[in-house]
Amino acid sequence: MNITAQQALDAIAAAQQAATNIKVPMNIAVVDRGSNLVAFVKMDGAWLGSKDIAIKKAQTSNYFDMNSGEIGKLSQPGKPLYQIEVSNGGLISFPGGVLIKNDEEIIGAIGVSGGGVEQDEEVAKAGAATIK
Amino acid sequence: MNITAQQALDAIAAAQQAATNIKVPMNIAVVDRGSNLVAFVKMDGAWLGSKDIAIKKAQTSNYFDMNSGEIGKLSQPGKPLYQIEVSNGGLISFPGGVLIKNDEEIIGAIGVSGGGVEQDEEVAKAGAATIK
Amino acid sequence: MNITAQQALDAIAAAQQAATNIKVPMNIAVVDRGSNLVAFVKMDGAWLGSKDIAIKKAQTSNYFDMNSGEIGKLSQPGKPLYQIEVSNGGLISFPGGVLIKNDEEIIGAIGVSGGGVEQDEEVAKAGAATIK
Amino acid sequence: MNITAQQALDAIAAAQQAATNIKVPMNIAVVDRGSNLVAFVKMDGAWLGSKDIAIKKAQTSNYFDMNSGEIGKLSQPGKPLYQIEVSNGGLISFPGGVLIKNDEEIIGAIGVSGGGVEQDEEVAKAGAATIK
């Protein structure tokens, strides 16, 4: 099952609210199960370079059925997935990409970039949590 | 001056309404004066390949300060801008990309793809018209 | 719904047989509804450059819910979709890409390249016809 | 000498069986001596992002006439091939890419991705072992 446009816009609105609450403008992207973009917004004042990162975080999460930060633990020097980031046209393997589930089924992912990685992750989770 | 996130989302909402009115699901993108994506939505059932086209229509319009279809008149075989489409990572030179203005100043552009080119143009204009 | 691996391999086997029957080695690709590759084979002696074309034909068909050759009718000079081929990382708009349906639902597409375009189309249709 | 289409499909079928035995859906790719794709399958439920990794593992092995994991030992920080992964459009230097030989002659390579790297390597070896 794939996320709908309305679900994607709802997740973005919730993430936008969470970003506003902590006063950090963010880029927020939602992809479907094909890792194709469904919805996106760049908040006023958010870093320009964070657009691509937000999209890649969402795609990375959906590509491997896990939050983006999990990949980063395995891709450090000496770890099993070292340098996996050069695949798929570029992965982002630090936190801020979070799976979106409907019941237990993965239906897409959200990626957030613009603050510290903990802030990005917090905002992404707020977005993902709106979908039940 | 650049379009704001709120203006971009308003333009997308208006375009989405216009697309719903004619019963054609669309991909809708808004870019700022840097031709960078500000907001995007892929309506349920819209062609997957139209995402990239919607974004490129918006970028093409903003790149040259004219609606995308104007470029296409000049890029036909034997015309002055023949093959300009291969520049800038790919231009789309048929209708559906429309400038967004605030008073008389260009602040960005909207690109729409998913129906016939006249439908795309009509929906893009509906989106652009929400910004005064 | 998405095509399964077994359906994709069955379609490729049928297309391979059809290509063998007309004695033209082919590249044959099957993509799912996300336009992502599910299965591929390059027959011995098939043109090396046809691999990318076969994949792009399958993707092009799935991107726009129509056989690839339909796009080409609309993308000629002076036609509504002139130069659409520069989008989506490159489209192939001549025949040889055919939708795969299950009952009436599109579940993916097959792309074939290696012979004349009528041969490519014939072989692609033979592959697609195996899925009911 | 180059691997044939039939050998590639046989290697993929054997790898698919090995993946089924350990209950991990995999992406499996075979390339020839030109590092060009000969055959590919994405098993149902395999990670979407593993397609590109499987292909790159096969290519990486064939590019340097050694299994992909050998490269990774030399590309760690401070080692002779540090950052070699950015070459050739992206290398994957962890295990799962295995040379395919006919007698002692290299005729191509197989790349597998979808499980832990030891699982990927095991499945790739099962595929390569079918070719004598």
Side-chain angles (χ1 to χ4, degrees):
Chain A
M1 213 174 72
N2 253 336
I3 193 166
T4 65
Q6 192 55 56
Q7 287 174 316
L9 290 171
D10 288 349
I12 283 184
Q16 228 179 322
Q17 186 56 57
T20 301
N21 290 347
I22 61 170
K23 298 187 173 55
V24 183
M26 299 285 196
N27 286 266
I28 309 163
V30 173
V31 301
D32 65 16
R33 281 304 270 161
S35 275
N36 295 300
L37 194 65
V38 179
F40 172 83
V41 72
K42 175 186 180 290
M43 294 171 67
D44 297 335
W47 290 328
L48 184 59
S50 282
K51 178 200 74 168
D52 190 52
I53 294 175
I55 294 173
K56 282 184 165 55
K57 281 181 180 176
Q59 291 178 322
T60 298
S61 300
N62 183 71
Y63 278 145
F64 302 102
D65 296 356
M66 62 184 81
N67 292 352
S68 59
E70 297 303 308
I71 303 283
K73 296 176 186 170
L74 300 168
S75 68
Q76 299 297 317
K79 295 288 182 182
L81 305 186
Y82 179 56
Q83 288 283 42
I84 192 174
E85 291 87 355
V86 302
S87 73
N88 292 286
L91 301 176
I92 293 293
S93 59
F94 46 85
V98 170
L99 293 174
I100 298 178
K101 297 183 182 180
N102 188 306
D103 290 315
E104 287 307 296
E105 189 189 353
I106 302 169
I107 58 172
I110 184 169
V112 172
S113 180
V117 291
E118 308 80 10
Q119 294 173 318
D120 294 351
E121 181 89 350
E122 174 191 338
V123 170
K125 283 184 172 164
T130 60
I131 315 298
K132 307 294 178 191
Chain B
M1 212 175 72
N2 252 335
I3 192 165
T4 66
Q6 193 55 55
Q7 287 174 314
L9 290 170
D10 289 348
I12 283 185
Q16 227 179 321
Q17 186 57 56
T20 300
N21 290 348
I22 60 170
K23 296 186 173 57
V24 183
M26 300 283 195
N27 285 266
I28 309 164
V30 173
V31 301
D32 66 14
R33 282 303 272 161
S35 274
N36 295 299
L37 194 66
V38 179
F40 172 81
V41 72
K42 175 185 180 293
M43 294 171 68
D44 297 334
W47 288 328
L48 184 59
S50 283
K51 177 200 74 168
D52 189 54
I53 294 175
I55 295 173
K56 282 183 165 53
K57 281 180 179 175
Q59 290 177 322
T60 298
S61 301
N62 183 72
Y63 280 146
F64 301 103
D65 294 357
M66 62 183 82
N67 292 356
S68 59
E70 297 303 308
I71 304 283
K73 296 175 187 170
L74 301 169
S75 68
Q76 298 294 319
K79 295 288 182 180
L81 306 186
Y82 178 56
Q83 287 282 33
I84 191 175
E85 290 89 354
V86 302
S87 72
N88 293 285
L91 301 177
I92 292 293
S93 59
F94 45 85
V98 170
L99 293 173
I100 298 177
K101 298 183 183 179
N102 188 306
D103 289 315
E104 288 306 297
E105 188 189 353
I106 301 170
I107 59 172
I110 184 169
V112 172
S113 180
V117 293
E118 309 79 11
Q119 293 173 318
D120 294 350
E121 181 91 348
E122 173 191 338
V123 169
K125 284 184 172 163
T130 60
I131 315 298
K132 308 291 178 192
Chain C
M1 213 174 71
N2 253 335
I3 192 165
T4 65
Q6 192 55 55
Q7 287 174 315
L9 290 171
D10 288 349
I12 284 185
Q16 228 180 320
Q17 186 57 56
T20 301
N21 291 348
I22 60 170
K23 297 187 172 56
V24 183
M26 299 284 195
N27 285 266
I28 309 163
V30 173
V31 301
D32 65 15
R33 281 303 271 159
S35 275
N36 295 300
L37 193 66
V38 180
F40 172 82
V41 72
K42 176 187 179 291
M43 294 171 68
D44 297 334
W47 289 327
L48 184 58
S50 282
K51 177 200 76 167
D52 190 51
I53 294 175
I55 294 173
K56 281 184 165 53
K57 281 181 180 177
Q59 291 177 323
T60 298
S61 300
N62 183 71
Y63 279 145
F64 301 102
D65 297 355
M66 63 183 82
N67 292 354
S68 59
E70 297 303 307
I71 303 284
K73 296 176 187 170
L74 300 169
S75 67
Q76 299 296 318
K79 296 287 183 181
L81 305 185
Y82 179 55
Q83 287 282 41
I84 192 175
E85 291 86 355
V86 303
S87 72
N88 291 286
L91 301 176
I92 293 293
S93 59
F94 45 85
V98 171
L99 293 174
I100 298 177
K101 296 183 181 179
N102 187 307
D103 289 315
E104 287 307 295
E105 189 190 350
I106 301 170
I107 58 172
I110 184 169
V112 172
S113 180
V117 293
E118 309 80 10
Q119 293 173 318
D120 293 350
E121 181 90 349
E122 174 191 338
V123 169
K125 283 183 172 164
T130 60
I131 315 298
K132 309 292 179 192
Chain D
M1 211 174 74
N2 252 336
I3 192 166
T4 65
Q6 192 54 56
Q7 287 174 315
L9 289 171
D10 289 348
I12 283 184
Q16 227 179 321
Q17 186 56 58
T20 301
N21 290 347
I22 61 171
K23 297 185 173 57
V24 183
M26 299 284 195
N27 285 266
I28 309 164
V30 173
V31 301
D32 65 15
R33 283 302 273 161
S35 273
N36 295 299
L37 194 65
V38 179
F40 171 82
V41 72
K42 176 185 180 291
M43 294 172 67
D44 296 336
W47 288 329
L48 183 59
S50 282
K51 176 200 75 166
D52 190 54
I53 294 175
I55 294 173
K56 283 183 164 52
K57 281 181 179 176
Q59 291 177 321
T60 298
S61 300
N62 182 73
Y63 280 145
F64 301 103
D65 295 355
M66 62 184 82
N67 292 354
S68 60
E70 297 303 308
I71 304 283
K73 297 176 185 169
L74 301 169
S75 68
Q76 299 295 321
K79 296 288 182 180
L81 305 186
Y82 178 55
Q83 287 282 32
I84 191 175
E85 290 88 354
V86 302
S87 71
N88 294 287
L91 301 177
I92 292 294
S93 59
F94 44 85
V98 171
L99 293 174
I100 298 177
K101 297 183 181 178
N102 189 305
D103 290 317
E104 287 308 294
E105 188 189 352
I106 302 169
I107 58 171
I110 183 169
V112 172
S113 180
V117 292
E118 309 79 10
Q119 293 173 318
D120 294 350
E121 180 90 349
E122 174 191 340
V123 169
K125 284 185 171 164
T130 59
I131 315 298
K132 307 293 179 191

